[in-house]
Amino acid sequence: MPDGIGYSASCSNYWYNNGVNTTLIGLESKFSSDRLSAAIFNGIALDTKSGGSMVIDLKAGYNYDKNGIVGQNLRIRNNFAEGSVSTQFRYSPCTLNVPVAENTTVYLNPHGVAKYNYTKKEWDTSVGAFLGVTQKFKKGVSVSLEGQRYNIQNPNENDGNWGVNFIISKKF
C-alpha cells in the first residue's frame, strides 16, 4: 500500500432480513503507510426504520503481513439522529482479504461490537461476521457484495440479524 493520503466517496445499501433497509453515503479521507492505516468517514444514513442520521467514523487498521492479506481493524462509529445518539466500537482481530483473480478479492471479517447509546444510557454488545467479494474497475471504482450475520452469540434470534450489503466506491 503506498504511503500517503487518499480520498474516496461511497454509497452503501444494507438489506436486513426483517425488512429494514439502510443507505449510507459519504466521503472518506485515509492515511496509509506500509502496514498501518487511519481514516475518517463522514456520511449521511437513511434508514426505513429510524429515519436519517449523520455518521462519523474513525478507523484504524494494521496488516500482519506485507501483502495485506491478514490484518486487524478498529472502527469507531458515531451516529447522530433525532432522539438517538450512539458510539459503536467494532474490533476485528483477524481479517482476511484474499486475492482470487486480477482486481478481485474475497474477504472475511469476524468482529466484536460494543455500542453505547447516550440517549438510553446503556451498552449493547454482540459478535458478528461478514463475508464478501470486491471487484475493482478502472478509474478507482470498486463494487462489493457481502453477506453479514449479526449477534452470532444468539444463534436462535434471526429477526434482523442477517443482512446483504452492496457497496460502490470511487477513489480520487
Side-chain angles (χ1 to χ4, degrees), residues 14 90 111 129-131 146-150 161-165:
Y14 306 91
R90 185 183 78 193
H111 55 271
F130 49 92
L131 174 66
E146 62 187 32
Q148 186 160 357
R149 170 67 164 126
Y150 305 91
N161 285 331
W162 292 92
V164 176
N165 311 325

Side-chain angles (χ1 to χ4, degrees), residues 107-150:
Y107 57 91
L108 173 65
N109 188 331
H111 55 271
V113 173
K115 181 178 178 179
Y116 186 72
N117 186 315
Y118 297 97
T119 309
K120 296 179 181 178
K121 296 183 170 64
E122 65 184 19
W123 283 96
D124 181 31
T125 58
S126 67
V127 177
F130 49 92
L131 174 66
V133 61
T134 298
Q135 177 66 49
K136 294 181 181 178
F137 297 96
K138 294 179 182 179
K139 299 185 181 184
V141 174
S142 65
V143 174
S144 300
L145 181 64
E146 62 187 32
Q148 186 160 357
R149 170 67 164 126
Y150 305 91

Side-chain angles (χ1 to χ4, degrees), residues 49-160:
K49 182 178 179 183
S50 56
S53 64
M54 182 174 70
V55 175
I56 300 173
D57 288 348
L58 304 174
K59 302 176 185 180
Y62 176 75
N63 291 325
Y64 295 124
D65 64 296
K66 65 181 180 178
N67 296 320
I69 293 173
V70 182
Q72 66 175 312
N73 62 59
L74 171 68
R75 183 191 74 192
I76 302 170
R77 173 163 285 172
N78 299 284
N79 201 313
F80 305 92
E82 186 175 341
S84 178
V85 175
S86 63
T87 298
Q88 179 195 69
F89 301 88
R90 185 183 78 193
Y91 177 61
S92 305
C94 187
T95 62
L96 296 175
N97 193 22
V98 180
V100 294
E102 186 176 352
N103 297 320
T104 305
T105 56
V106 172
Y107 57 91
L108 173 65
N109 188 331
H111 55 271
V113 173
K115 181 178 178 179
Y116 186 72
N117 186 315
Y118 297 97
T119 309
K120 296 179 181 178
K121 296 183 170 64
E122 65 184 19
W123 283 96
D124 181 31
T125 58
S126 67
V127 177
F130 49 92
L131 174 66
V133 61
T134 298
Q135 177 66 49
K136 294 181 181 178
F137 297 96
K138 294 179 182 179
K139 299 185 181 184
V141 174
S142 65
V143 174
S144 300
L145 181 64
E146 62 187 32
Q148 186 160 357
R149 170 67 164 126
Y150 305 91
N151 297 314
I152 291 174
Q153 75 279 2
N154 300 323
N156 295 328
E157 293 180 21
N158 288 312
D159 187 36

